[in-house]
Amino acid sequence: MTVILFAIPLFFLLIGIELYADCKKKTGYYRTNDAITSLSAGVLSRIVAIGHQLIPFTIYALFFDAVAMFELPQAWWVWVIAFVAYDFFYYWNHRLGHEMSILWAAHVVHHSSEDYNLTTALRQTSGAVFSWIFYLPLALVGFTLEMIITVGALNLVYQFWVHTQHITTLGWMEKVFVTPSNHRVHHAQNRIYIDKNYGGVFILWDRLFSTYMPEKKEEPVVFGIRGALKSFNPLWANLQIYSQLAKDSYYTRSWTDKFRVWFGRTGWRPADVSERFPKEKLPLSNFRKYHPHIHKSVTRYSLLQHVIMLGAALYFLLNLDSLSGMQQMAIVLTVVVMSIQNGFILSQSKLALALEGPRLLMFPLLWIASGIGIAAWCFALSSVVGLVMLLFAVRYSNYRRPIEEVRLSTEPENLA
């Protein structure tokens, strides 16, 4: 967690540089709505991780104490081996995350973006509850919990920079490391690219286990998933596949299939459910990005609220130890509600926009009542500015154009 916290300023600096390059070159790799959703999903992931990561860390420590053959020293060469070994098990964790339905239900969040830029790297799941199982062999051979947490964080930080379209191929690095080019392949929904390039830092594992595929000029990558999310709600991004699996498990008549739905191959559905509730997959040539058009005043309001939400989340992460339970609940509730509200607003929901007025009044009062201090008054001041911008947003909220108008081309897209 500490490594990632220190990396956050670097993440946003690089996002700013890439956004500047995107505007300068007019490449259209950024859309405000999709970028906000990616960042919101990342924030929720970090906040949820504070709670649920205590369980796998505790299990790893207990497993280490019970079965470790010895404890490896803190020498530099042990750290290097730990880093490489972690990436090996990350490969299998990642691969099974694409091949087993219940694991895909958690991982799909990261692939649900239909854009590919540095904000996509932060679009992480809040529900990866089984990943820790893959790293238990490292405890068996003596890698300490501290070492695994650190190299795991470094592995995640490395993966940030490969989520860009502004870097083409990198020569010899393509043969050894995960690069932007071979990771773009991993995020593709093109049939020839699906289930390829699982490595976190090293692409060697994919070459070794026959899951490597280079990016082909004749097959431009189409980003996203075949069962498109069609939402900017980060909560629904986390629940989408779980919801589908639950429905299929409920409606199938076979008790065996009720279990297989969850642990079978990704995409598999019981025959009786497929017949009753068919899911049509359109040809990739018909794919259009989900892009509801809203007035610029609504976009500006949504962007302001997103920045305020990021500030609240950062305040929470930096001051976690000094906040009371009530204060933590107040901030977490604020971050979650603001993220979900923003998703609905960006999807043209007039009801969500109407509910913003009461939210802007109630949540600063909640912070003040919780005794959060000067941060509560800063939050209240930002809400006053938000109320002014909300008036303009509501005034133009009837401005609408059809959803799904973004073409698959190299033409730049309007950031609004």
Side-chain angles (χ1 to χ4, degrees), residues 177-350:
F177 297 101
V178 173
T179 65
S181 177
N182 56 47
H183 199 63
R184 285 193 289 270
V185 166
H186 179 69
H187 276 258
Q189 55 175 306
N190 312 55
R191 186 171 297 278
I192 68 164
Y193 293 146
I194 290 176
D195 294 340
K196 302 295 181 183
N197 300 0
Y198 294 113
V201 174
F202 301 105
I203 203 67
L204 295 171
W205 316 125
D206 291 283
R207 292 179 178 275
L208 182 62
F209 297 110
S210 302
T211 54
Y212 174 73
M213 172 69 72
E215 188 176 22
K216 299 178 180 293
K217 291 183 178 179
E218 66 273 16
E219 184 76 24
V221 171
V222 179
F223 300 106
I225 54 177
R226 295 304 301 272
L229 179 62
K230 295 188 182 300
S231 171
F232 295 124
N233 184 340
L235 181 61
W236 180 240
N238 278 278
L239 297 178
Q240 178 196 15
I241 302 300
Y242 286 112
S243 173
Q244 182 62 55
L245 294 176
K247 288 178 182 177
D248 286 355
S249 182
Y250 176 78
Y251 284 112
T252 184
R253 296 181 181 87
S254 167
W255 284 99
T256 301
D257 287 349
K258 287 180 183 295
F259 177 83
R260 187 181 172 190
V261 160
W262 297 94
F263 297 96
R265 177 78 186 190
T266 301
W268 179 85
R269 303 180 73 206
D272 56 340
V273 175
S274 295
E275 183 179 354
R276 187 177 175 186
F277 305 104
K279 291 175 64 178
E280 181 183 7
K281 288 189 177 180
L282 297 174
L284 201 58
S285 58
N286 293 343
F287 173 75
R288 296 292 183 271
K289 293 182 181 181
Y290 177 72
H291 191 69
H293 291 272
I294 55 179
H295 194 271
K296 288 184 177 180
S297 63
V298 180
T299 300
R300 292 191 190 104
Y301 172 79
S302 181
L303 187 58
L304 171 67
Q305 296 309 309
H306 179 68
V307 171
I308 295 170
M309 184 275 292
L310 290 178
L314 187 59
Y315 177 81
F316 174 80
L317 293 173
L318 292 176
N319 297 277
L320 183 61
D321 292 338
S322 61
L323 294 171
S324 69
M326 179 64 183
Q327 291 169 343
Q328 290 179 18
M329 289 178 61
I331 298 175
V332 169
L333 182 63
T334 300
V335 169
V336 172
V337 171
M338 290 183 73
S339 298
I340 295 173
Q341 275 282 95
N342 239 352
F344 283 124
I345 291 170
L346 292 168
S347 298
Q348 297 182 327
S349 171
K350 293 181 68 176

Side-chain angles (χ1 to χ4, degrees), residues 14-228:
L14 292 176
I15 287 171
I17 293 172
E18 186 185 46
L19 183 56
Y20 174 79
D22 188 68
C23 294
K24 195 77 173 177
K25 296 180 180 179
K26 298 183 178 179
T27 46
Y29 297 153
Y30 272 82
R31 289 180 299 148
T32 303
N33 45 26
D34 190 89
I36 285 178
T37 306
S38 292
L39 293 173
S40 296
V43 167
L44 294 181
S45 174
R46 283 296 91 200
I47 289 177
V48 171
I50 292 172
H52 75 62
Q53 281 188 352
L54 292 175
I55 298 174
F57 290 165
T58 302
I59 293 175
Y60 187 96
L62 293 173
F63 192 77
F64 179 88
D65 291 338
V67 304
M69 295 182 289
F70 41 75
E71 181 176 335
L72 292 170
Q74 297 289 312
W76 68 267
W77 57 270
V78 177
W79 282 90
V80 172
I81 294 174
F83 186 80
V84 176
Y86 182 94
D87 196 65
F88 172 78
F89 287 106
Y90 174 87
Y91 168 87
W92 288 106
N93 175 23
H94 196 181
R95 180 169 175 173
L96 267 292
H98 281 255
E99 296 179 353
M100 183 183 293
S101 291
I102 193 169
L103 300 179
W104 172 244
H107 183 59
V108 70
V109 180
H110 183 58
H111 287 263
S112 60
S113 174
E114 294 171 350
D115 293 334
Y116 192 79
N117 53 59
L118 291 177
T119 66
T120 309
L122 303 181
R123 194 180 185 113
Q124 298 292 331
T125 180
S126 298
V129 295
F130 298 110
S131 296
W132 57 272
I133 297 173
F134 292 87
Y135 304 107
L136 289 181
L138 295 171
L140 178 64
V141 295
F143 292 104
T144 63
L145 176 61
E146 177 190 10
M147 193 174 288
I148 295 308
I149 291 175
T150 304
V151 297
L154 291 173
N155 187 287
L156 190 62
V157 169
Y158 176 90
Q159 293 180 49
F160 176 79
W161 77 280
V162 302
H163 292 82
T164 182
Q165 296 185 65
H166 288 283
I167 298 175
T168 54
T169 54
L170 295 174
W172 66 269
M173 286 187 67
E174 304 290 337
K175 298 180 180 180
V176 180
F177 297 101
V178 173
T179 65
S181 177
N182 56 47
H183 199 63
R184 285 193 289 270
V185 166
H186 179 69
H187 276 258
Q189 55 175 306
N190 312 55
R191 186 171 297 278
I192 68 164
Y193 293 146
I194 290 176
D195 294 340
K196 302 295 181 183
N197 300 0
Y198 294 113
V201 174
F202 301 105
I203 203 67
L204 295 171
W205 316 125
D206 291 283
R207 292 179 178 275
L208 182 62
F209 297 110
S210 302
T211 54
Y212 174 73
M213 172 69 72
E215 188 176 22
K216 299 178 180 293
K217 291 183 178 179
E218 66 273 16
E219 184 76 24
V221 171
V222 179
F223 300 106
I225 54 177
R226 295 304 301 272

Side-chain angles (χ1 to χ4, degrees), residues 4-16:
I4 294 173
L5 273 178
F6 280 125
I8 287 175
L10 176 63
F11 290 165
F12 280 96
L13 174 62
L14 292 176
I15 287 171

